[in-house]
Amino acid sequence: MDETVRIHVNGDAKACRRGATVADLLQDLDIKTERVAVELNLEILDRAMFAHRALNDGDRVEIMSFIGGGSC
Amino acid sequence: MADDRLIIAGREFKSRLWVGTGKYKDFVETQKAIEVSGADVVTVAVRRVNITDRSKDNLLDYIDPKKYTILPNTAGCYTVEDAVRYSRLARAAGVSDLIKLEVLGDEKTLFPDTAGLIEAAKILIKEGFIVLPYTNDDPIVAKKLVDIGCPAVMPLAAPIGSGLGIRNPYNLKILMESVSVPVIVDAGVGTASDAALAMEYGADAVLMNTAIAGAQDPLAMAEAMKYAVWAGRLAYKAGRIPRKLYATASSPIEGML
């Protein structure tokens, strides 16, 4: 079996170790979990679920955070 | 002014000047301008994390969420679906149910799509969000937003980033008299007198970004805006004299030669 899963993170293709969770992905990307929201295939995940949701081939992950903004 | 607190949905705010965090040179300037402005509510946008360059700082390293109320917005959303999606993401990324809801109508004016705004607000309020809607200076729409459960409304003074000041003072005044919730004038302020005028009309607060961030000296303008909002609020509470066409002498006639 292929040891990697191919996913999209914020629109970019990425390969992950099979069995890796959302929490593993964030750690791999050096992103602190407490300041981001993660959407997996359009479903927003609770932070508590990050360590329990394994990534599968074709998954689309969006990692969102706050940036400077007023209106528009 | 210490006892003159603004209360929205049970939350107390010290400052009646709220500020955005966009368009600054860097995070240090953002941080300084906010500090000088005295604002305790700051708006932020929700965007993708840059995953290719992790060296970039995070805005919240400079703006302490313990010190400021972080008010995420749905800037850039032109549909009900997008505005709802971004609101949910903001709540998941943040610490509160507050959302400054924007559903924009078109790119040229950035005027709100008020039909979409009401629809999105209904969905979010049902989900427990505290919705602060960016709306037009339309008293009827403002009333509808209040009726569905918005604890404040945020009408524009002029198009976002235009610096035109209050384009329709009479509508804004009618709007303020039409709703029983706080009114935060949002967008279009150009300089200190615009902010003071909004407060003199009876606005409960003013939210701005470009007027400060885009000034030649943002820190000086942040300070000017702090005093303008104070002055306008004090003048409103003091109650201005009526306008009269002819003069009324301030000095007594009695005792003249």
Side-chain angles (χ1 to χ4, degrees), chain A residues 10 35 37 39 47 62-63 65-72, chain B residues 21 43 45 47-49 61 73 76 85 92-93 100 209:
Chain A
N10 287 5
R35 284 183 184 161
E39 202 184 63
R47 269 191 201 116
E62 296 291 349
I63 305 170
S65 187
F66 295 130
I67 63 145
S71 301
C72 96
Chain B
T21 52
T43 65
R47 292 293 181 268
R48 279 174 164 168
V49 171
D61 290 331
N73 64 31
R85 184 184 184 190
K100 184 194 153 195
N209 190 154

mmCIF file with all atom_site columns, all heavy atoms in Angstrom, chain A residues 10 35 37 39 47 62-63 65-72, chain B residues 21 43 45 47-49 61 73 76 85 92-93 100 209:
data_model
loop_
_atom_site.group_PDB
_atom_site.id
_atom_site.type_symbol
_atom_site.label_atom_id
_atom_site.label_alt_id
_atom_site.label_comp_id
_atom_site.label_asym_id
_atom_site.label_entity_id
_atom_site.label_seq_id
_atom_site.pdbx_PDB_ins_code
_atom_site.Cartn_x
_atom_site.Cartn_y
_atom_site.Cartn_z
_atom_site.occupancy
_atom_site.B_iso_or_equiv
_atom_site.pdbx_formal_charge
_atom_site.auth_seq_id
_atom_site.auth_comp_id
_atom_site.auth_asym_id
_atom_site.auth_atom_id
_atom_site.pdbx_PDB_model_num
ATOM 1   N N   . ASN A 1 10  ? -4.902  24.445 1.646  1.00 0.00 ? 10  ASN A N   1
ATOM 2   C CA  . ASN A 1 10  ? -5.040  25.845 1.198  1.00 0.00 ? 10  ASN A CA  1
ATOM 3   C C   . ASN A 1 10  ? -4.800  25.974 -0.303 1.00 0.00 ? 10  ASN A C   1
ATOM 4   O O   . ASN A 1 10  ? -4.129  26.898 -0.772 1.00 0.00 ? 10  ASN A O   1
ATOM 5   C CB  . ASN A 1 10  ? -4.091  26.757 1.982  1.00 0.00 ? 10  ASN A CB  1
ATOM 6   C CG  . ASN A 1 10  ? -4.577  26.956 3.424  1.00 0.00 ? 10  ASN A CG  1
ATOM 7   O OD1 . ASN A 1 10  ? -5.543  26.348 3.840  1.00 0.00 ? 10  ASN A OD1 1
ATOM 8   N ND2 . ASN A 1 10  ? -3.908  27.818 4.158  1.00 0.00 ? 10  ASN A ND2 1
ATOM 9   N N   . ARG A 1 35  ? -4.807  29.173 17.164 1.00 0.00 ? 35  ARG A N   1
ATOM 10  C CA  . ARG A 1 35  ? -5.177  30.390 16.432 1.00 0.00 ? 35  ARG A CA  1
ATOM 11  C C   . ARG A 1 35  ? -5.733  30.129 15.047 1.00 0.00 ? 35  ARG A C   1
ATOM 12  O O   . ARG A 1 35  ? -5.853  31.042 14.246 1.00 0.00 ? 35  ARG A O   1
ATOM 13  C CB  . ARG A 1 35  ? -3.957  31.290 16.302 1.00 0.00 ? 35  ARG A CB  1
ATOM 14  C CG  . ARG A 1 35  ? -3.666  31.987 17.602 1.00 0.00 ? 35  ARG A CG  1
ATOM 15  C CD  . ARG A 1 35  ? -2.519  32.906 17.439 1.00 0.00 ? 35  ARG A CD  1
ATOM 16  N NE  . ARG A 1 35  ? -2.175  33.495 18.712 1.00 0.00 ? 35  ARG A NE  1
ATOM 17  C CZ  . ARG A 1 35  ? -1.024  34.053 18.966 1.00 0.00 ? 35  ARG A CZ  1
ATOM 18  N NH1 . ARG A 1 35  ? -0.100  34.084 18.037 1.00 0.00 ? 35  ARG A NH1 1
ATOM 19  N NH2 . ARG A 1 35  ? -0.785  34.576 20.142 1.00 0.00 ? 35  ARG A NH2 1
ATOM 20  N N   . ALA A 1 37  ? -8.567  27.988 12.345 1.00 0.00 ? 37  ALA A N   1
ATOM 21  C CA  . ALA A 1 37  ? -9.761  27.164 12.129 1.00 0.00 ? 37  ALA A CA  1
ATOM 22  C C   . ALA A 1 37  ? -9.413  26.227 10.986 1.00 0.00 ? 37  ALA A C   1
ATOM 23  O O   . ALA A 1 37  ? -8.708  26.620 10.044 1.00 0.00 ? 37  ALA A O   1
ATOM 24  C CB  . ALA A 1 37  ? -10.942 28.043 11.748 1.00 0.00 ? 37  ALA A CB  1
ATOM 25  N N   . GLU A 1 39  ? -10.917 23.576 8.126  1.00 0.00 ? 39  GLU A N   1
ATOM 26  C CA  . GLU A 1 39  ? -12.068 23.065 7.399  1.00 0.00 ? 39  GLU A CA  1
ATOM 27  C C   . GLU A 1 39  ? -11.572 21.861 6.606  1.00 0.00 ? 39  GLU A C   1
ATOM 28  O O   . GLU A 1 39  ? -10.618 21.972 5.839  1.00 0.00 ? 39  GLU A O   1
ATOM 29  C CB  . GLU A 1 39  ? -12.556 24.163 6.442  1.00 0.00 ? 39  GLU A CB  1
ATOM 30  C CG  . GLU A 1 39  ? -13.984 24.043 6.002  1.00 0.00 ? 39  GLU A CG  1
ATOM 31  C CD  . GLU A 1 39  ? -14.347 25.114 4.991  1.00 0.00 ? 39  GLU A CD  1
ATOM 32  O OE1 . GLU A 1 39  ? -13.760 25.125 3.890  1.00 0.00 ? 39  GLU A OE1 1
ATOM 33  O OE2 . GLU A 1 39  ? -15.205 25.952 5.279  1.00 0.00 ? 39  GLU A OE2 1
ATOM 34  N N   . ARG A 1 47  ? -11.488 21.950 17.552 1.00 0.00 ? 47  ARG A N   1
ATOM 35  C CA  . ARG A 1 47  ? -10.060 21.742 17.838 1.00 0.00 ? 47  ARG A CA  1
ATOM 36  C C   . ARG A 1 47  ? -9.809  20.362 18.452 1.00 0.00 ? 47  ARG A C   1
ATOM 37  O O   . ARG A 1 47  ? -8.798  19.731 18.187 1.00 0.00 ? 47  ARG A O   1
ATOM 38  C CB  . ARG A 1 47  ? -9.561  22.826 18.794 1.00 0.00 ? 47  ARG A CB  1
ATOM 39  C CG  . ARG A 1 47  ? -9.042  23.980 18.036 1.00 0.00 ? 47  ARG A CG  1
ATOM 40  C CD  . ARG A 1 47  ? -8.292  24.976 18.853 1.00 0.00 ? 47  ARG A CD  1
ATOM 41  N NE  . ARG A 1 47  ? -8.338  26.196 18.064 1.00 0.00 ? 47  ARG A NE  1
ATOM 42  C CZ  . ARG A 1 47  ? -8.935  27.310 18.436 1.00 0.00 ? 47  ARG A CZ  1
ATOM 43  N NH1 . ARG A 1 47  ? -9.474  27.396 19.622 1.00 0.00 ? 47  ARG A NH1 1
ATOM 44  N NH2 . ARG A 1 47  ? -8.959  28.342 17.641 1.00 0.00 ? 47  ARG A NH2 1
ATOM 45  N N   . GLU A 1 62  ? -8.550  23.371 4.518  1.00 0.00 ? 62  GLU A N   1
ATOM 46  C CA  . GLU A 1 62  ? -8.347  24.826 4.541  1.00 0.00 ? 62  GLU A CA  1
ATOM 47  C C   . GLU A 1 62  ? -7.953  25.205 5.965  1.00 0.00 ? 62  GLU A C   1
ATOM 48  O O   . GLU A 1 62  ? -8.645  24.868 6.927  1.00 0.00 ? 62  GLU A O   1
ATOM 49  C CB  . GLU A 1 62  ? -9.624  25.573 4.145  1.00 0.00 ? 62  GLU A CB  1
ATOM 50  C CG  . GLU A 1 62  ? -10.094 25.333 2.723  1.00 0.00 ? 62  GLU A CG  1
ATOM 51  C CD  . GLU A 1 62  ? -9.185  25.926 1.648  1.00 0.00 ? 62  GLU A CD  1
ATOM 52  O OE1 . GLU A 1 62  ? -8.278  26.722 1.991  1.00 0.00 ? 62  GLU A OE1 1
ATOM 53  O OE2 . GLU A 1 62  ? -9.375  25.587 0.468  1.00 0.00 ? 62  GLU A OE2 1
ATOM 54  N N   . ILE A 1 63  ? -6.828  25.901 6.070  1.00 0.00 ? 63  ILE A N   1
ATOM 55  C CA  . ILE A 1 63  ? -6.367  26.352 7.388  1.00 0.00 ? 63  ILE A CA  1
ATOM 56  C C   . ILE A 1 63  ? -6.462  27.873 7.393  1.00 0.00 ? 63  ILE A C   1
ATOM 57  O O   . ILE A 1 63  ? -5.793  28.554 6.615  1.00 0.00 ? 63  ILE A O   1
ATOM 58  C CB  . ILE A 1 63  ? -4.923  25.897 7.658  1.00 0.00 ? 63  ILE A CB  1
ATOM 59  C CG1 . ILE A 1 63  ? -4.810  24.376 7.486  1.00 0.00 ? 63  ILE A CG1 1
ATOM 60  C CG2 . ILE A 1 63  ? -4.490  26.301 9.070  1.00 0.00 ? 63  ILE A CG2 1
ATOM 61  C CD1 . ILE A 1 63  ? -3.382  23.863 7.491  1.00 0.00 ? 63  ILE A CD1 1
ATOM 62  N N   . SER A 1 65  ? -6.879  31.749 9.415  1.00 0.00 ? 65  SER A N   1
ATOM 63  C CA  . SER A 1 65  ? -6.480  32.492 10.610 1.00 0.00 ? 65  SER A CA  1
ATOM 64  C C   . SER A 1 65  ? -6.866  33.958 10.439 1.00 0.00 ? 65  SER A C   1
ATOM 65  O O   . SER A 1 65  ? -7.380  34.362 9.401  1.00 0.00 ? 65  SER A O   1
ATOM 66  C CB  . SER A 1 65  ? -4.969  32.353 10.797 1.00 0.00 ? 65  SER A CB  1
ATOM 67  O OG  . SER A 1 65  ? -4.578  32.921 12.006 1.00 0.00 ? 65  SER A OG  1
ATOM 68  N N   . PHE A 1 66  ? -6.604  34.736 11.461 1.00 0.00 ? 66  PHE A N   1
ATOM 69  C CA  . PHE A 1 66  ? -6.934  36.159 11.404 1.00 0.00 ? 66  PHE A CA  1
ATOM 70  C C   . PHE A 1 66  ? -5.778  36.960 10.816 1.00 0.00 ? 66  PHE A C   1
ATOM 71  O O   . PHE A 1 66  ? -4.625  36.747 11.164 1.00 0.00 ? 66  PHE A O   1
ATOM 72  C CB  . PHE A 1 66  ? -7.249  36.694 12.797 1.00 0.00 ? 66  PHE A CB  1
ATOM 73  C CG  . PHE A 1 66  ? -8.476  36.094 13.412 1.00 0.00 ? 66  PHE A CG  1
ATOM 74  C CD1 . PHE A 1 66  ? -8.453  35.577 14.695 1.00 0.00 ? 66  PHE A CD1 1
ATOM 75  C CD2 . PHE A 1 66  ? -9.670  36.028 12.702 1.00 0.00 ? 66  PHE A CD2 1
ATOM 76  C CE1 . PHE A 1 66  ? -9.585  35.019 15.262 1.00 0.00 ? 66  PHE A CE1 1
ATOM 77  C CE2 . PHE A 1 66  ? -10.811 35.465 13.265 1.00 0.00 ? 66  PHE A CE2 1
ATOM 78  C CZ  . PHE A 1 66  ? -10.753 34.960 14.544 1.00 0.00 ? 66  PHE A CZ  1
ATOM 79  N N   . ILE A 1 67  ? -6.125  37.899 9.948  1.00 0.00 ? 67  ILE A N   1
ATOM 80  C CA  . ILE A 1 67  ? -5.131  38.834 9.420  1.00 0.00 ? 67  ILE A CA  1
ATOM 81  C C   . ILE A 1 67  ? -5.674  40.249 9.598  1.00 0.00 ? 67  ILE A C   1
ATOM 82  O O   . ILE A 1 67  ? -6.834  40.435 9.952  1.00 0.00 ? 67  ILE A O   1
ATOM 83  C CB  . ILE A 1 67  ? -4.817  38.581 7.921  1.00 0.00 ? 67  ILE A CB  1
ATOM 84  C CG1 . ILE A 1 67  ? -6.075  38.813 7.064  1.00 0.00 ? 67  ILE A CG1 1
ATOM 85  C CG2 . ILE A 1 67  ? -4.281  37.192 7.703  1.00 0.00 ? 67  ILE A CG2 1
ATOM 86  C CD1 . ILE A 1 67  ? -5.763  39.411 5.722  1.00 0.00 ? 67  ILE A CD1 1
ATOM 87  N N   . GLY A 1 68  ? -4.818  41.223 9.319  1.00 0.00 ? 68  GLY A N   1
ATOM 88  C CA  . GLY A 1 68  ? -5.239  42.614 9.435  1.00 0.00 ? 68  GLY A CA  1
ATOM 89  C C   . GLY A 1 68  ? -6.368  42.902 8.464  1.00 0.00 ? 68  GLY A C   1
ATOM 90  O O   . GLY A 1 68  ? -6.320  42.495 7.302  1.00 0.00 ? 68  GLY A O   1
ATOM 91  N N   . GLY A 1 69  ? -7.388  43.607 8.952  1.00 0.00 ? 69  GLY A N   1
ATOM 92  C CA  . GLY A 1 69  ? -8.493  43.952 8.068  1.00 0.00 ? 69  GLY A CA  1
ATOM 93  C C   . GLY A 1 69  ? -9.443  44.918 8.733  1.00 0.00 ? 69  GLY A C   1
ATOM 94  O O   . GLY A 1 69  ? -9.583  44.923 9.955  1.00 0.00 ? 69  GLY A O   1
ATOM 95  N N   . GLY A 1 70  ? -10.036 45.757 7.926  1.00 0.00 ? 70  GLY A N   1
ATOM 96  C CA  . GLY A 1 70  ? -11.056 46.659 8.447  1.00 0.00 ? 70  GLY A CA  1
ATOM 97  C C   . GLY A 1 70  ? -12.348 46.217 7.815  1.00 0.00 ? 70  GLY A C   1
ATOM 98  O O   . GLY A 1 70  ? -13.024 45.332 8.298  1.00 0.00 ? 70  GLY A O   1
ATOM 99  N N   . SER A 1 71  ? -12.626 46.791 6.666  1.00 0.00 ? 71  SER A N   1
ATOM 100 C CA  . SER A 1 71  ? -13.773 46.361 5.902  1.00 0.00 ? 71  SER A CA  1
ATOM 101 C C   . SER A 1 71  ? -13.318 46.070 4.484  1.00 0.00 ? 71  SER A C   1
ATOM 102 O O   . SER A 1 71  ? -12.196 46.370 4.120  1.00 0.00 ? 71  SER A O   1
ATOM 103 C CB  . SER A 1 71  ? -14.820 47.462 5.870  1.00 0.00 ? 71  SER A CB  1
ATOM 104 O OG  . SER A 1 71  ? -15.219 47.772 7.172  1.00 0.00 ? 71  SER A OG  1
ATOM 105 N N   . CYS A 1 72  ? -14.188 45.547 3.730  1.00 0.00 ? 72  CYS A N   1
ATOM 106 C CA  . CYS A 1 72  ? -14.135 45.245 2.298  1.00 0.00 ? 72  CYS A CA  1
ATOM 107 C C   . CYS A 1 72  ? -13.989 43.759 2.094  1.00 0.00 ? 72  CYS A C   1
ATOM 108 O O   . CYS A 1 72  ? -14.120 43.256 1.069  1.00 0.00 ? 72  CYS A O   1
ATOM 109 C CB  . CYS A 1 72  ? -13.068 46.026 1.541  1.00 0.00 ? 72  CYS A CB  1
ATOM 110 S SG  . CYS A 1 72  ? -11.528 45.173 1.323  1.00 0.00 ? 72  CYS A SG  1
ATOM 111 N N   . THR B 2 21  ? -7.584  46.733 11.387 1.00 0.00 ? 21  THR B N   1
ATOM 112 C CA  . THR B 2 21  ? -6.149  46.417 11.463 1.00 0.00 ? 21  THR B CA  1
ATOM 113 C C   . THR B 2 21  ? -5.518  46.251 10.087 1.00 0.00 ? 21  THR B C   1
ATOM 114 O O   . THR B 2 21  ? -4.403  45.765 9.969  1.00 0.00 ? 21  THR B O   1
ATOM 115 C CB  . THR B 2 21  ? -5.944  45.120 12.272 1.00 0.00 ? 21  THR B CB  1
ATOM 116 O OG1 . THR B 2 21  ? -6.792  44.096 11.711 1.00 0.00 ? 21  THR B OG1 1
ATOM 117 C CG2 . THR B 2 21  ? -6.311  45.318 13.728 1.00 0.00 ? 21  THR B CG2 1
ATOM 118 N N   . THR B 2 43  ? -11.048 45.144 14.575 1.00 0.00 ? 43  THR B N   1
ATOM 119 C CA  . THR B 2 43  ? -11.561 44.198 13.585 1.00 0.00 ? 43  THR B CA  1
ATOM 120 C C   . THR B 2 43  ? -10.411 43.491 12.879 1.00 0.00 ? 43  THR B C   1
ATOM 121 O O   . THR B 2 43  ? -9.324  44.058 12.692 1.00 0.00 ? 43  THR B O   1
ATOM 122 C CB  . THR B 2 43  ? -12.452 44.885 12.527 1.00 0.00 ? 43  THR B CB  1
ATOM 123 O OG1 . THR B 2 43  ? -11.655 45.784 11.764 1.00 0.00 ? 43  THR B OG1 1
ATOM 124 C CG2 . THR B 2 43  ? -13.606 45.615 13.175 1.00 0.00 ? 43  THR B CG2 1
ATOM 125 N N   . ALA B 2 45  ? -9.694  40.285 9.677  1.00 0.00 ? 45  ALA B N   1
ATOM 126 C CA  . ALA B 2 45  ? -10.273 39.499 8.591  1.00 0.00 ? 45  ALA B CA  1
ATOM 127 C C   . ALA B 2 45  ? -9.844  38.043 8.747  1.00 0.00 ? 45  ALA B C   1
ATOM 128 O O   . ALA B 2 45  ? -8.886  37.747 9.462  1.00 0.00 ? 45  ALA B O   1
ATOM 129 C CB  . ALA B 2 45  ? -9.820  40.053 7.247  1.00 0.00 ? 45  ALA B CB  1
ATOM 130 N N   . ARG B 2 47  ? -8.513  34.784 6.756  1.00 0.00 ? 47  ARG B N   1
ATOM 131 C CA  . ARG B 2 47  ? -7.910  34.386 5.478  1.00 0.00 ? 47  ARG B CA  1
ATOM 132 C C   . ARG B 2 47  ? -7.101  33.105 5.660  1.00 0.00 ? 47  ARG B C   1
ATOM 133 O O   . ARG B 2 47  ? -6.793  32.709 6.772  1.00 0.00 ? 47  ARG B O   1
ATOM 134 C CB  . ARG B 2 47  ? -6.972  35.503 4.966  1.00 0.00 ? 47  ARG B CB  1
ATOM 135 C CG  . ARG B 2 47  ? -7.686  36.784 4.533  1.00 0.00 ? 47  ARG B CG  1
ATOM 136 C CD  . ARG B 2 47  ? -8.543  36.599 3.304  1.00 0.00 ? 47  ARG B CD  1
ATOM 137 N NE  . ARG B 2 47  ? -9.202  37.834 2.889  1.00 0.00 ? 47  ARG B NE  1
ATOM 138 C CZ  . ARG B 2 47  ? -10.420 38.224 3.282  1.00 0.00 ? 47  ARG B CZ  1
ATOM 139 N NH1 . ARG B 2 47  ? -11.105 37.464 4.110  1.00 0.00 ? 47  ARG B NH1 1
ATOM 140 N NH2 . ARG B 2 47  ? -10.953 39.338 2.848  1.00 0.00 ? 47  ARG B NH2 1
ATOM 141 N N   . ARG B 2 48  ? -6.708  32.510 4.508  1.00 0.00 ? 48  ARG B N   1
ATOM 142 C CA  . ARG B 2 48  ? -5.856  31.327 4.542  1.00 0.00 ? 48  ARG B CA  1
ATOM 143 C C   . ARG B 2 48  ? -4.522  31.646 5.214  1.00 0.00 ? 48  ARG B C   1
ATOM 144 O O   . ARG B 2 48  ? -3.933  32.697 4.952  1.00 0.00 ? 48  ARG B O   1
ATOM 145 C CB  . ARG B 2 48  ? -5.563  30.863 3.117  1.00 0.00 ? 48  ARG B CB  1
ATOM 146 C CG  . ARG B 2 48  ? -6.673  30.055 2.496  1.00 0.00 ? 48  ARG B CG  1
ATOM 147 C CD  . ARG B 2 48  ? -6.348  29.787 1.044  1.00 0.00 ? 48  ARG B CD  1
ATOM 148 N NE  . ARG B 2 48  ? -7.178  28.704 0.513  1.00 0.00 ? 48  ARG B NE  1
ATOM 149 C CZ  . ARG B 2 48  ? -7.262  28.419 -0.780 1.00 0.00 ? 48  ARG B CZ  1
ATOM 150 N NH1 . ARG B 2 48  ? -6.580  29.129 -1.666 1.00 0.00 ? 48  ARG B NH1 1
ATOM 151 N NH2 . ARG B 2 48  ? -8.006  27.417 -1.193 1.00 0.00 ? 48  ARG B NH2 1
ATOM 152 N N   . VAL B 2 49  ? -4.048  30.710 6.026  1.00 0.00 ? 49  VAL B N   1
ATOM 153 C CA  . VAL B 2 49  ? -2.715  30.816 6.614  1.00 0.00 ? 49  VAL B CA  1
ATOM 154 C C   . VAL B 2 49  ? -1.702  30.609 5.489  1.00 0.00 ? 49  VAL B C   1
ATOM 155 O O   . VAL B 2 49  ? -1.900  29.770 4.611  1.00 0.00 ? 49  VAL B O   1
ATOM 156 C CB  . VAL B 2 49  ? -2.532  29.729 7.703  1.00 0.00 ? 49  VAL B CB  1
ATOM 157 C CG1 . VAL B 2 49  ? -1.094  29.657 8.181  1.00 0.00 ? 49  VAL B CG1 1
ATOM 158 C CG2 . VAL B 2 49  ? -3.477  29.976 8.869  1.00 0.00 ? 49  VAL B CG2 1
ATOM 159 N N   . ASP B 2 61  ? 0.051   38.096 17.543 1.00 0.00 ? 61  ASP B N   1
ATOM 160 C CA  . ASP B 2 61  ? 1.255   38.231 18.384 1.00 0.00 ? 61  ASP B CA  1
ATOM 161 C C   . ASP B 2 61  ? 1.419   39.696 18.792 1.00 0.00 ? 61  ASP B C   1
ATOM 162 O O   . ASP B 2 61  ? 2.138   40.015 19.730 1.00 0.00 ? 61  ASP B O   1
ATOM 163 C CB  . ASP B 2 61  ? 2.507   37.787 17.614 1.00 0.00 ? 61  ASP B CB  1
ATOM 164 C CG  . ASP B 2 61  ? 2.521   36.281 17.384 1.00 0.00 ? 61  ASP B CG  1
ATOM 165 O OD1 . ASP B 2 61  ? 1.937   35.556 18.216 1.00 0.00 ? 61  ASP B OD1 1
ATOM 166 O OD2 . ASP B 2 61  ? 3.107   35.845 16.371 1.00 0.00 ? 61  ASP B OD2 1
ATOM 167 N N   . ASN B 2 73  ? -14.405 39.942 10.850 1.00 0.00 ? 73  ASN B N   1
ATOM 168 C CA  . ASN B 2 73  ? -15.391 40.376 9.867  1.00 0.00 ? 73  ASN B CA  1
ATOM 169 C C   . ASN B 2 73  ? -15.496 39.360 8.731  1.00 0.00 ? 73  ASN B C   1
ATOM 170 O O   . ASN B 2 73  ? -14.717 38.413 8.664  1.00 0.00 ? 73  ASN B O   1
ATOM 171 C CB  . ASN B 2 73  ? -15.059 41.774 9.335  1.00 0.00 ? 73  ASN B CB  1
ATOM 172 C CG  . ASN B 2 73  ? -13.743 41.808 8.587  1.00 0.00 ? 73  ASN B CG  1
ATOM 173 O OD1 . ASN B 2 73  ? -13.330 40.826 7.972  1.00 0.00 ? 73  ASN B OD1 1
ATOM 174 N ND2 . ASN B 2 73  ? -13.058 42.946 8.619  1.00 0.00 ? 73  ASN B ND2 1
ATOM 175 N N   . GLY B 2 76  ? -14.969 40.834 2.105  1.00 0.00 ? 76  GLY B N   1
ATOM 176 C CA  . GLY B 2 76  ? -14.682 40.112 0.871  1.00 0.00 ? 76  GLY B CA  1
ATOM 177 C C   . GLY B 2 76  ? -15.764 39.117 0.481  1.00 0.00 ? 76  GLY B C   1
ATOM 178 O O   . GLY B 2 76  ? -15.671 38.482 -0.561 1.00 0.00 ? 76  GLY B O   1
ATOM 179 N N   . ARG B 2 85  ? -20.111 31.019 5.887  1.00 0.00 ? 85  ARG B N   1
ATOM 180 C CA  . ARG B 2 85  ? -18.936 30.143 5.989  1.00 0.00 ? 85  ARG B CA  1
ATOM 181 C C   . ARG B 2 85  ? -17.789 30.840 6.735  1.00 0.00 ? 85  ARG B C   1
ATOM 182 O O   . ARG B 2 85  ? -17.177 30.277 7.627  1.00 0.00 ? 85  ARG B O   1
ATOM 183 C CB  . ARG B 2 85  ? -18.483 29.752 4.578  1.00 0.00 ? 85  ARG B CB  1
ATOM 184 C CG  . ARG B 2 85  ? -17.337 28.763 4.542  1.00 0.00 ? 85  ARG B CG  1
ATOM 185 C CD  . ARG B 2 85  ? -16.916 28.528 3.095  1.00 0.00 ? 85  ARG B CD  1
ATOM 186 N NE  . ARG B 2 85  ? -15.884 27.515 2.971  1.00 0.00 ? 85  ARG B NE  1
ATOM 187 C CZ  . ARG B 2 85  ? -15.220 27.266 1.829  1.00 0.00 ? 85  ARG B CZ  1
ATOM 188 N NH1 . ARG B 2 85  ? -15.515 27.967 0.741  1.00 0.00 ? 85  ARG B NH1 1
ATOM 189 N NH2 . ARG B 2 85  ? -14.280 26.342 1.777  1.00 0.00 ? 85  ARG B NH2 1
ATOM 190 N N   . ALA B 2 92  ? -14.610 29.438 14.844 1.00 0.00 ? 92  ALA B N   1
ATOM 191 C CA  . ALA B 2 92  ? -13.758 28.281 15.121 1.00 0.00 ? 92  ALA B CA  1
ATOM 192 C C   . ALA B 2 92  ? -12.317 28.697 15.416 1.00 0.00 ? 92  ALA B C   1
ATOM 193 O O   . ALA B 2 92  ? -11.616 28.046 16.189 1.00 0.00 ? 92  ALA B O   1
ATOM 194 C CB  . ALA B 2 92  ? -13.802 27.310 13.944 1.00 0.00 ? 92  ALA B CB  1
ATOM 195 N N   . ALA B 2 93  ? -11.875 29.797 14.800 1.00 0.00 ? 93  ALA B N   1
ATOM 196 C CA  . ALA B 2 93  ? -10.489 30.251 14.990 1.00 0.00 ? 93  ALA B CA  1
ATOM 197 C C   . ALA B 2 93  ? -10.342 31.120 16.227 1.00 0.00 ? 93  ALA B C   1
ATOM 198 O O   . ALA B 2 93  ? -9.243  31.281 16.760 1.00 0.00 ? 93  ALA B O   1
ATOM 199 C CB  . ALA B 2 93  ? -10.024 31.037 13.768 1.00 0.00 ? 93  ALA B CB  1
ATOM 200 N N   . LYS B 2 100 ? -18.593 40.704 12.778 1.00 0.00 ? 100 LYS B N   1
ATOM 201 C CA  . LYS B 2 100 ? -19.026 41.879 12.034 1.00 0.00 ? 100 LYS B CA  1
ATOM 202 C C   . LYS B 2 100 ? -19.397 41.363 10.654 1.00 0.00 ? 100 LYS B C   1
ATOM 203 O O   . LYS B 2 100 ? -18.533 40.963 9.859  1.00 0.00 ? 100 LYS B O   1
ATOM 204 C CB  . LYS B 2 100 ? -17.898 42.914 11.938 1.00 0.00 ? 100 LYS B CB  1
ATOM 205 C CG  . LYS B 2 100 ? -18.359 44.177 11.257 1.00 0.00 ? 100 LYS B CG  1
ATOM 206 C CD  . LYS B 2 100 ? -17.226 45.064 10.846 1.00 0.00 ? 100 LYS B CD  1
ATOM 207 C CE  . LYS B 2 100 ? -17.663 45.890 9.665  1.00 0.00 ? 100 LYS B CE  1
ATOM 208 N NZ  . LYS B 2 100 ? -16.545 46.529 8.975  1.00 0.00 ? 100 LYS B NZ  1
ATOM 209 N N   . ASN B 2 209 ? -10.820 52.381 9.705  1.00 0.00 ? 209 ASN B N   1
ATOM 210 C CA  . ASN B 2 209 ? -9.541  51.739 9.420  1.00 0.00 ? 209 ASN B CA  1
ATOM 211 C C   . ASN B 2 209 ? -8.684  52.643 8.530  1.00 0.00 ? 209 ASN B C   1
ATOM 212 O O   . ASN B 2 209 ? -7.678  53.191 8.945  1.00 0.00 ? 209 ASN B O   1
ATOM 213 C CB  . ASN B 2 209 ? -9.778  50.372 8.759  1.00 0.00 ? 209 ASN B CB  1
ATOM 214 C CG  . ASN B 2 209 ? -8.512  49.518 8.652  1.00 0.00 ? 209 ASN B CG  1
ATOM 215 O OD1 . ASN B 2 209 ? -8.595  48.313 8.601  1.00 0.00 ? 209 ASN B OD1 1
ATOM 216 N ND2 . ASN B 2 209 ? -7.332  50.110 8.635  1.00 0.00 ? 209 ASN B ND2 1
#
